[in-house]
Amino acid sequence: MVDSPIRWGILGTGGIASTFVTDLRLTDSGVAVAVGSRGQGSADRFADEFGIASRHASYESLVADADVDVIYVAVPHPMHHDNAILALRAGKHVLVEKPFTMNAAEAREIVRVARENGLFAMEAMWTRFLPHVAVIRDWLARGVLGDVVAVTADHGQWFAEDAEFRLFAPELGGGALLDLGVYPVSFASMVLGTPSRIVALSEPAFTGVDAQTSMLFGYDSGAQAVLTCTLRAKSPTTAAIVGSDARIEVEGDFYAPTTVTLVPREGDPVRVESVQEGRGLHHQADEVARRLDAGDVESALMPLDESISIMETMDTVLTQARQNA
């Protein structure tokens, strides 16, 4: 697919970093050559588990590694901004876990630094690159839905209440919206763009972060999006795109490899089953490799300006939710 595999440096050693490196083994577009942590012990444990040769006891050391082409920023949300900029200023391309940052101001700064240095940057919204989403984009591009009227999506997971767990910890960027709600918000953005009107309602968890948030977006086209996220229960995690001529139903979990069905107003449904190896994160790694091979500094499937827009939308949602609390 590319002239030579790109060399990944993994910044962070948590669960999402493990999933990414595991899935990276399913493709020949790239290889993890280095890992960085805040301590030598965790870097060594991660490197030993995944057969990574270079292990660094600091993020500064990782981004200075001459054998690394791209840094995958896989630390908690509040650390995305500083570490992405650390990597960019060291001359490294970046793939930054979602949500891209904690807020739109931080997102704008990452994009500014990347563009000033002519480096590739992308939000690691892995859903965008999955096979079933490619099917959805094709149906939308061909206009088979007619006029899009509505988008619905939910993402709810149950978590035991634990003040030290990152989803409940304010200092780790906890809350339903940033961790779970980013998927429905990004899905709606992919289909309908940036909303012109936003109404939101939220309920706090015992630590003060949002435990459950519901959103209603309005668009200049007249379409609407109804989106929900919660830390309190496992929801269906499905999505739908409803048009005047047909609708698309996305089975749960809509954000992971899954089955999609095109249901026309007249005629028989068309069902496309998911055939997938691994979790699905290797598709975004392939996209990074394709873009670098082409000399691009961003991806048309997850543009930087859209990542900023998504953060602006979530900023507004949180402000609205606080006002309506």
Side-chain angles (χ1 to χ4, degrees):
M1 183 180 64
V2 294
D3 291 339
S4 59
I6 63 170
R7 301 168 299 175
W8 288 91
I10 311 301
L11 195 151
T13 57
I16 194 65
S18 296
T19 302
F20 180 81
V21 173
T22 299
D23 271 17
L24 193 59
R25 293 170 170 174
L26 299 174
T27 179
D28 59 2
S29 72
V31 61
V33 300
V35 61
S37 185
R38 288 177 295 181
Q40 193 66 58
S42 58
D44 287 340
R45 283 191 294 273
F46 192 93
D48 289 343
E49 180 178 357
F50 293 103
I52 298 173
S54 297
R55 55 281 304 269
H56 299 270
S58 72
Y59 302 145
E60 291 80 5
S61 176
L62 172 67
V63 302
D65 190 327
D67 291 329
V68 170
D69 300 314
V70 186
I71 297 292
Y72 172 53
V73 179
V75 288
H77 319 331
M79 304 173 193
H80 289 180
H81 167 268
D82 289 355
N83 286 298
I85 288 179
L86 177 74
L88 289 166
R89 288 182 172 155
K92 297 296 193 289
H93 307 290
V94 293
L95 175 65
V96 184
E97 254 310 317
K98 53 39 184 130
F100 196 48
T101 50
M102 288 292 291
N103 53 56
E106 290 184 352
R108 291 188 201 101
E109 189 170 2
I110 290 177
V111 171
R112 177 182 61 79
V113 173
R115 288 173 173 167
E116 286 177 354
N117 289 277
L119 293 165
F120 179 90
M122 189 178 82
E123 180 181 5
M125 177 48 73
W126 56 289
T127 304
R128 289 287 176 104
F129 310 99
L130 296 175
H132 78 279
V133 175
V135 173
I136 291 171
R137 286 196 305 268
D138 177 65
W139 285 337
L140 291 171
R142 292 195 283 119
V144 297
L145 268 64
D147 296 325
V148 176
V149 173
V151 169
T152 62
D154 75 277
H155 191 182
Q157 306 289 345
W158 180 88
F159 297 97
E161 292 189 345
D162 178 354
E164 295 183 1
F165 179 52
R166 65 179 183 84
L167 266 74
F168 291 106
E171 68 275 13
L172 296 178
L177 181 66
L178 284 174
D179 201 273
L180 306 180
V182 65
Y183 287 102
V185 172
S186 184
F187 185 78
S189 177
M190 181 187 75
V191 178
L192 293 171
T194 302
S196 55
R197 290 157 292 152
I198 296 173
V199 178
L201 187 66
S202 183
E203 292 295 328
F206 69 104
T207 56
V209 303
D210 70 298
Q212 182 163 308
T213 297
S214 297
M215 298 157 271
L216 175 62
F217 295 169
Y219 299 84
D220 291 339
S221 66
Q224 296 179 350
V226 181
L227 315 172
T228 62
C229 57
T230 183
L231 305 176
R232 291 174 168 165
K234 180 67 172 79
S235 67
T237 62
T238 57
I241 306 169
V242 181
S244 56
D245 296 332
R247 71 179 183 272
I248 297 170
E249 296 178 350
V250 191
E251 296 185 6
D253 297 324
F254 80 88
Y255 52 85
T258 191
T259 296
V260 292
T261 304
L262 178 67
V263 184
R265 186 156 37 84
E266 298 177 356
D268 296 328
V270 177
R271 181 179 170 87
V272 180
E273 301 277 355
S274 175
V275 178
Q276 177 64 39
E277 275 190 289
R279 180 64 172 156
L281 273 68
H282 59 289
H283 295 293
Q284 66 182 353
D286 286 341
E287 173 68 2
V288 174
R290 284 190 293 268
R291 300 284 64 81
L292 291 179
D293 191 51
D296 297 334
V297 292
E298 61 181 290
S299 168
L301 298 181
M302 189 67 254
L304 292 172
D305 286 343
E306 187 181 357
S307 290
I308 292 173
S309 172
I310 288 167
M311 292 313 307
E312 289 172 341
T313 295
M314 294 206 295
D315 285 354
T316 302
V317 166
L318 287 175
T319 299
Q320 283 260 348
R322 292 187 189 105
Q323 292 173 346
N324 293 332

